């Protein structure tokens, strides 16, 4: 009988392995020496050792899932228990027990990681859904809102999945938000189409009136009416693009026809009025020169009336010079009126009396303050002296102005 620490070969060729539970038969050997039999069954044991080592390395160096690791351990455990091999099978069992513990730890870690991943996925998708609901409820920029909604759908698809009930509940909200946005957008454009149709009808009315006025020769009222129609056009909003362009072309053509005709008439009329403008230029030059030489306001007023009569007899001026000429003549009239007002103020008895009374009161006040100043100096009251000196300076300045006004009235 041949033996080694973990097995033996009986005289009849039966091969045994020793375990903690005792011996068990692993095979029979009839083809050679017993040492060869033990060597053969030890190689089978070494093959099992290699498989255990490989599994240990995979669990240590790769992201092998806990489920796969446990499955591999159980398969090896069965292989070890049923092995037709000679070696320390109990040691392999213990190593498999250690692998089982490691796989359990990995299972716990992976479970925790999966739960964390589900939480993060839920947070990501809740954020996506919340923004989709905000877009659906608030956005009125339909193009950018539609683009953003599509981006959110893509972000949803690319985001990791959470647990099934949460996934279904969030997708239900996401789908509802998308449908709500689509309904609001459709309702808006339906209303916009109706509004544009109303605008088109209003602009049709404006254009029809503009075309009816195109040949009018009632220049002033018609020009004013075209301005009103333009304001109505701007205030009415926009129709659809094709109608807007077609109606504007018609409106502008009618308006241009009227104003071109009016401008032609006014240009001809202005040419006739150039003579009047030249006459008024001469009146302005004579009025400035002569009135500047007259010092008596009454005489200036009488001479101004002559110039006013000549101005009216000269007739209307062309539009391009009318405002300038009229403004220049108004300034001459204003200068004469201002000179008359100044003369009246200078010779007004009531104004002179008021000025004399003011000057007298100031003289009395100054005399009183001078007396008070002397008393304050006698008492050595410096603060009072400064106050009275300030008051005296102010009243003397006022008196100087009052006497100047009186001199001008003299």
């Amino acid at each position: 009988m041949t033996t080694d620490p973990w097995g033996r070969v009986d005289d009849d060729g039966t091969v045994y392995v020793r375990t903690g539970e005792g011996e068990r038969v692993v095979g029979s050997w009839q083809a050679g020496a017993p040492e060869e039999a033990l060597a053969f069954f030890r190689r089978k044991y070494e093959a099992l050792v290699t498989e255990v080592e490989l599994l240990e390395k995979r669990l240590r160096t790769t992201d092998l899932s806990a489920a796969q690791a446990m499955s591999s351990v159980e398969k090896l455990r069965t292989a070890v228990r049923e092995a037709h091999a000679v070696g320390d099978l109990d040691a392999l069992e213990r190593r498999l027990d250690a692998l089982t513990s490691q796989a359990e730890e990995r299972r716990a870690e992976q479970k925790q990681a999966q739960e964390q991943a589900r939480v993060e996925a839920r947070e990501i998708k809740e954020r996506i859904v919340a923004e989709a609901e905000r877009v659906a409820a608030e956005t009125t920029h339909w193009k950018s809102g539609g683009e953003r909604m599509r981006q959110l759908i893509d972000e949803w698809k690319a985001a990791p999945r959470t647990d099934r009930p949460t996934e279904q509940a969030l997708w239900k909200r996401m789908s509802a938000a998308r449908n709500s946005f689509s309904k609001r957008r459709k309702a808006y454009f339906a209303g916009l189409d109706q509004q544009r149709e109303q605008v088109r009808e209003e602009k049709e009315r404006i254009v029809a009136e503009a075309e009816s006025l195109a040949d009018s020769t009632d220049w002033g009222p018609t020009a004013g009416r075209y301005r009103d129609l333009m304001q109505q056009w701007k205030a009415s909003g926009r129709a659809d693009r094709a109608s807007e362009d077609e109606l504007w072309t018609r409106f502008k053509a009618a308006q241009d026809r009227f104003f071109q005709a009016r401008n032609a008439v006014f240009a001809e009329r202005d040419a006739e009025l150039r003579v009047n403008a030249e006459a008024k230029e001469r009146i302005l030059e004579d009025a400035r020169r002569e009135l500047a030489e007259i010092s008596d306001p009454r005489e200036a007023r009488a001479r101004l009336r002559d110039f006013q009569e000549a101005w009216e007899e000269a007739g209307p001026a062309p539009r391009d010079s009318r405002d300038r000429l009229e403004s220049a003549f108004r300034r001459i009239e204003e200068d004469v009126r201002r000179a008359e007002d100044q003369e009246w103020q200078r010779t007004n008895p009531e104004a002179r009396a008021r000025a004399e009374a003011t000057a007298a009161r100031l003289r009395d006040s100054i005399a009183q303050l001078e007396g008070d100043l002397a008393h304050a100096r006698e008492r050595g009251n410096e603060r009072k002296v400064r106050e009275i000196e300030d008051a005296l300076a102010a009243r003397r300045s006022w008196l100087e102005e009052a006497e100047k006004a009186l001199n001008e009235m003299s």
Side-chain angles (χ1 to χ4, degrees), residues 6-30:
W6 307 110
R8 66 184 178 85
V9 180
D10 207 348
D11 293 337
D12 60 0
T14 302
V15 183
Y16 296 87
V17 65
R18 295 187 179 93
T19 68
E21 298 176 352
E23 288 185 337
R24 65 178 174 86
V25 176
V26 295
S28 177
W29 187 263
Q30 303 294 331

Side-chain angles (χ1 to χ4, degrees), residues 285-298:
E285 183 179 350
D286 293 344
R288 291 191 186 103
R289 185 184 67 255
E290 293 186 26
L291 293 174
E293 297 173 355
I294 299 174
S295 59
D296 185 353
R298 286 183 295 241

Side-chain angles (χ1 to χ4, degrees), residues 12 15 22 31 36 79 124 138 141 169 219 286 297 334 359 365 395 398:
D12 60 0
V15 183
E36 294 177 356
I124 292 171
E138 300 175 7
H141 294 84
W219 308 118
D286 293 344
E334 183 64 23
S365 178
R395 281 163 178 77
W398 299 342

Side-chain angles (χ1 to χ4, degrees), residues 14 55 95 230 363 368:
T14 302
L55 182 55
R95 289 171 72 177
M230 177 59 78
R363 292 188 190 98
Q368 178 67 40

Side-chain angles (χ1 to χ4, degrees), residues 58-228:
R58 286 183 65 197
L59 195 57
R60 184 174 62 253
T61 61
T62 70
D63 58 353
L64 181 68
S65 71
Q68 291 175 320
M70 292 295 289
S71 176
S72 298
V73 167
E74 292 306 316
K75 288 180 181 178
L76 277 175
R77 194 183 298 280
T78 300
V80 169
R81 288 174 179 171
E82 298 176 355
H84 298 282
V86 173
D88 191 355
L89 296 178
D90 290 339
L92 287 182
E93 287 273 7
R94 288 192 295 273
R95 289 171 72 177
L96 289 174
D97 289 341
L99 286 173
T100 300
S101 298
Q102 293 176 33
E104 290 290 351
E105 291 175 2
R106 177 161 295 189
R107 187 199 305 275
E109 292 172 357
Q110 290 176 342
K111 183 177 181 181
Q112 183 178 1
Q114 289 170 354
E115 182 60 30
Q116 181 64 29
R118 281 194 293 268
V119 170
E120 291 175 357
R122 182 170 65 251
E123 291 174 352
I124 292 171
K125 290 194 170 179
E126 283 178 345
R127 177 191 60 76
I128 294 172
V129 170
E131 185 173 354
E133 289 172 337
R134 183 190 61 76
V135 170
E138 300 175 7
T139 296
T140 54
H141 294 84
W142 304 111
K143 182 177 180 181
S144 60
E147 291 175 354
R148 185 55 184 147
M149 189 65 77
R150 286 190 292 274
Q151 290 171 357
L152 290 171
I153 294 295
D154 292 340
E155 289 178 20
W156 172 281
K157 293 177 180 178
R161 293 181 64 84
T162 183
D163 59 277
R164 185 177 181 84
T166 302
E167 191 84 11
Q168 290 177 338
L170 288 173
W171 176 250
K172 185 176 181 181
R173 287 172 56 193
M174 186 74 180
S175 180
R178 181 173 58 179
N179 292 338
S180 174
F181 176 79
S182 297
K183 288 179 181 178
R184 285 182 60 234
R185 181 171 55 184
K186 289 178 182 178
Y188 169 80
F189 283 110
L192 188 62
D193 289 342
Q194 182 180 2
Q195 178 183 351
R196 285 175 174 169
E197 178 59 23
Q198 293 173 349
V199 171
R200 188 193 64 77
E201 292 174 358
E202 172 64 12
K203 289 191 171 181
E204 284 277 9
R205 181 196 63 75
I206 293 172
V207 170
E209 183 174 353
E211 290 173 337
S212 72
L213 295 173
D215 297 321
S216 171
T217 56
D218 194 4
W219 308 118
T222 304
R225 185 56 186 158
Y226 268 113
R227 285 192 292 271
D228 294 341

